[in-house]
Amino acid sequence: MASEVLLDRVGSLGRFQILQLAFFCIISILLFPHVLLENFTAAIPGHHCWVHILNNDTVSENETGTLSQDALLRVSIPLDSNLRPEKCRRFVHPQWQLLYPNESFSNMSEPDTEPCVDGWVYDQSCFSSTIVTEWDLVCESESQKSVVQSLLMAGSLLGSLLYGYLSDRFGRKIICSWCLLQVAVCDTCAAFAPTLLVYSTLRFLAGSSILTVLGNFTLQAIEWTNPQSRSMAVMLLSCAWSAGQMFLGGLAFAIRDWRTLQLTLSVPMFVFFMSSRWMVESVQWLIINNQLDEGLKELRRVAHINGKKNIEETLTIEFLRSTMQEELDKAQIKASVSCLFRAPKLRVRVLYLFFVKLATAVPSNGLILNLQHFGRNIYLFQVLFGAVALIGRFVALWTLDHMGRRPSQVLFLFLVGLSILVNTFLNQELQTLRVALASLGAGAASAASTISAVHQPELTPTVFRSTVTGLCILASGIGAALAPLLMTLMRYSPLLPWITYGVFPILAGLFVLPLPETKNLPLPDTIDDVENDFQQKKNKKRKS
């Protein structure tokens, strides 16, 4: 806990913190869209079977007379149950009699149809190309599109566990730089992928790094900022994610080719990787891992950036050792990952945080499906969802400063659940009210996620902070994967999935209630800091 004293000595909210946060936000705006790329690069455009008389440029006008494209489509492609052209079947032979619906034809049987044996024709009015049109991921192969998205999520789950542990083992900076390089290489190569298998593999590897970088940015911002400003730092980073969502919608509208879009977002990652060498390592991690010389070097570097003069005279290795002696003594005993579950209070916190993250991710991803009812314009939807999330994060900052971590999180989680449940039982004709409630739920979900990003690191010790962050990212990934699976409950009742989405955040709010309030409290460094009476530390801080 004495690391707060060192932070005050070098400046806990100065030029360094502002530059660091600006650097993290710029990267996040271009990095977060990599999570959502398949919304556009894997979009399924309108399509129908390739038909000789309809799509062959060598067919002369004499063969089809003066028939329009709509008429040729009508005699070539059957209609589905919604009276729209079938996407996956065509007539074996042209059905010319369909041009004369008022005529009666004797001895007419049901016309024979067949699958799209010659391929498909895609509507290019919205997307000039996607991986769907590139490798024909439609009809019988449509499930392969879901496999690509699932592999990206699987990569993020694996990466959150692996890189979370490695961040606590080798430091935040080196793992963050490696992950930036991995994203740059994998997603740039994905733009030139010759096959779907190569593309899926590269996106899996990129996915294992993206959330690790975003999580490490949050930890770095929290560990270099005073308790009073942590919520603002996390809120600004979260706003950068929302800005990234809106930026992706605008960029995808301008760039309709999936390879060009992929490349445009990936090449800047090389620049960010090169820039990451100037990042400052977490001084808490350095000291807890007994790297005092490096810790002193980084502290003096931050002090100079913040304009602290004559810092070498007051900030010495002896001062550093005396200030952090208690933490250094505790850190001599190397804690293994199993200690997370052997320490009673820490174990309960980790289990509660895991469930809260999972239960928050389920309705958040469920609401994405509901928000698509705003309209068919996928670009507008992306920008709108980002804007709603942005507003929710600003509201979260206000409640964090005035209400604290725990009450704010409970409030927004309950608000998410109630908005979904009320929306579920509303009349379908009340479209404006349903859209308003869906927007309220989406904004509240973003606010709850932002508050959780502040509360969770303040509940876990420095020695395990990245590991617990990795576990929380894993929980979010499981919730994201569970959300679409819950839609299968519609076979029993069309309301059941949405009732489940509404119950999850309310349960999460109940799990937040037993967690301690951490507003304006210093970050715990060791397991003993968590296991000791938290209320006593709070009272000591008040008295001092």
Side-chain angles (χ1 to χ4, degrees):
M1 310 284 265
S3 56
E4 303 294 334
V5 177
L6 299 176
L7 197 56
D8 288 337
R9 180 64 63 92
V10 301
S12 57
L13 189 61
R15 187 185 305 162
F16 164 75
Q17 282 79 10
I18 295 173
L19 292 175
Q20 182 194 56
L21 195 58
F23 178 67
F24 289 167
C25 286
I26 292 171
I27 297 179
S28 298
I29 289 173
L30 289 178
L31 181 62
F32 192 75
H34 287 253
V35 180
L36 309 171
L37 258 178
E38 269 74 27
N39 284 350
F40 301 97
T41 59
I44 303 177
H47 56 276
H48 61 75
C49 295
W50 187 93
V51 180
H52 176 74
I53 64 170
L54 182 60
N55 305 115
N56 192 347
D57 294 335
T58 61
V59 175
S60 65
E61 291 188 13
N62 292 333
E63 295 181 54
T64 58
T66 58
L67 294 178
S68 66
Q69 287 289 305
D70 288 340
L72 293 174
L73 184 66
R74 181 69 187 91
V75 302
S76 306
I77 306 294
L79 301 180
D80 60 17
S81 57
N82 296 319
L83 300 180
R84 295 176 180 173
E86 277 277 4
K87 296 181 178 180
C88 301
R89 299 194 70 82
R90 68 181 187 182
F91 290 124
V92 176
H93 303 289
Q95 302 298 308
W96 301 108
Q97 73 278 3
L98 295 177
L99 297 177
Y100 311 100
N102 296 327
E103 299 289 337
S104 59
F105 298 89
S106 59
N107 300 325
M108 288 297 298
S109 59
E110 186 72 21
D112 294 330
T113 62
E114 63 181 357
C116 302
V117 293
D118 296 317
W120 291 263
V121 174
Y122 297 98
D123 178 12
Q124 294 184 329
S125 61
C126 193
F127 304 96
S128 62
S129 72
T130 68
I131 65 169
V132 172
T133 63
E134 181 93 11
W135 293 301
D136 290 330
L137 306 184
V138 292
C139 300
E140 293 85 359
S141 301
E142 188 170 343
S143 60
Q144 294 184 40
K145 171 184 175 291
S146 300
V147 171
V148 174
Q149 295 172 311
S150 299
L151 283 173
L152 177 71
M153 185 57 63
S156 68
L157 299 184
L158 177 64
S160 63
L161 289 177
L162 175 62
Y163 289 129
Y165 168 75
L166 292 178
S167 292
D168 282 331
R169 181 74 175 82
F170 300 106
R172 319 311 194 208
K173 179 180 176 180
I174 187 173
I175 298 302
C176 194
S177 295
W178 169 258
C179 288
L180 281 172
L181 178 62
Q182 187 170 323
V183 173
V185 172
C186 292
D187 269 351
T188 298
C189 292
F192 302 98
T195 65
L196 180 63
L197 177 60
V198 173
Y199 175 84
S200 302
T201 304
L202 290 169
R203 286 293 285 159
F204 170 84
L205 294 173
S208 66
S209 304
I210 297 170
L211 295 183
T212 300
V213 175
L214 296 174
N216 264 354
F217 284 173
T218 302
L219 292 185
Q220 286 276 65
I222 286 176
E223 291 175 346
W224 274 110
T225 309
N226 62 38
Q228 294 76 20
S229 303
R230 285 185 202 135
S231 57
M232 180 184 66
V234 174
M235 186 276 296
L236 290 174
L237 279 174
S238 301
C239 287
W241 303 350
S242 300
Q245 287 181 267
M246 294 186 285
F247 173 74
L248 176 62
L251 187 66
F253 181 80
I255 303 175
R256 306 298 181 94
D257 176 72
W258 78 268
R259 292 186 185 272
T260 306
L261 178 62
Q262 180 97 27
L263 195 61
T264 302
L265 283 171
S266 302
V267 171
M269 293 299 113
F270 286 103
V271 179
F272 295 139
F273 162 69
M274 297 297 293
S275 303
S276 65
R277 58 178 296 192
W278 287 288
M279 285 175 57
V280 177
E281 181 58 271
S282 167
V283 70
Q284 293 188 20
W285 181 87
L286 289 171
I287 294 174
I288 291 300
N289 285 272
N290 204 27
Q291 299 183 30
L292 296 185
D293 291 335
E294 284 297 318
L296 182 63
K297 180 181 176 182
E298 297 290 46
L299 283 169
R300 288 178 173 177
R301 180 182 171 191
V302 171
H304 282 299
I305 296 174
N306 283 337
K308 301 289 183 177
K309 298 180 179 180
N310 301 323
I311 195 67
E312 288 83 1
E313 300 176 4
T314 57
L315 190 59
T316 62
I317 193 70
E318 291 77 15
F319 174 79
L320 186 62
R321 192 181 299 277
S322 62
T323 304
M324 299 293 295
Q325 190 59 54
E326 183 180 352
E327 284 74 11
L328 287 170
D329 291 340
K330 293 175 182 178
Q332 293 302 312
I333 303 174
K334 294 297 181 181
S336 63
V337 176
S338 61
C339 293
L340 273 174
F341 302 101
R342 287 206 301 265
K345 286 188 178 181
L346 183 57
R347 177 177 65 241
V348 171
R349 289 187 186 185
V350 171
L351 293 176
Y352 277 27
L353 288 170
F354 188 90
F355 178 78
V356 170
K357 283 288 187 179
L358 184 149
T360 305
V362 170
S364 297
N365 287 273
L367 277 171
I368 291 176
L369 301 176
N370 192 40
L371 284 173
Q372 289 177 344
H373 292 297
F374 279 132
R376 297 181 181 179
N377 190 329
I378 190 172
Y379 307 106
L380 179 61
F381 163 73
Q382 190 70 57
V383 174
L384 181 60
F385 184 73
V388 170
L390 190 66
I391 295 171
R393 300 187 199 282
F394 274 106
V395 175
L397 176 63
W398 184 86
T399 59
L400 279 169
D401 290 338
H402 290 79
M403 297 175 59
R405 280 53 165 157
R406 185 175 56 188
S408 299
Q409 196 169 359
V410 172
L411 169 66
F412 285 112
L413 286 170
F414 278 20
L415 195 58
V416 174
L418 291 175
S419 65
I420 294 176
L421 291 176
V422 172
N423 206 344
T424 301
F425 295 101
L426 272 181
N427 191 313
Q428 295 288 334
E429 295 179 358
L430 301 174
Q431 189 63 30
T432 303
L433 183 58
R434 287 174 57 83
V435 169
L437 282 172
S439 301
L440 175 65
S446 299
S449 177
T450 300
I451 296 168
S452 177
V454 177
H455 199 201
Q456 172 253 311
E458 294 178 340
L459 290 169
T460 51
T462 301
V463 290
F464 287 123
R465 195 164 291 131
S466 279
T467 302
V468 175
T469 299
L471 289 173
C472 289
I473 293 174
L474 173 66
S476 297
I478 294 173
L482 183 61
L485 292 178
L486 289 174
M487 293 304 293
T488 59
L489 297 175
M490 291 189 71
R491 70 179 64 178
Y492 306 107
S493 169
L495 302 181
L496 195 54
W498 299 105
I499 293 175
T500 309
Y501 290 150
V503 170
F504 259 112
I506 294 175
L507 287 176
L510 296 177
F511 270 74
V512 171
L513 286 174
L515 294 173
E517 177 58 52
T518 58
K519 181 183 177 182
N520 293 337
L521 290 178
L523 294 174
D525 288 320
T526 64
I527 294 177
D528 286 343
D529 290 336
V530 174
E531 293 303 305
N532 290 337
D533 190 358
F534 201 87
Q535 190 62 41
Q536 287 182 2
K537 293 180 181 179
K538 187 175 179 181
N539 292 336
K540 287 180 181 178
K541 183 174 179 65
R542 284 178 177 175
K543 290 178 181 179
S544 60

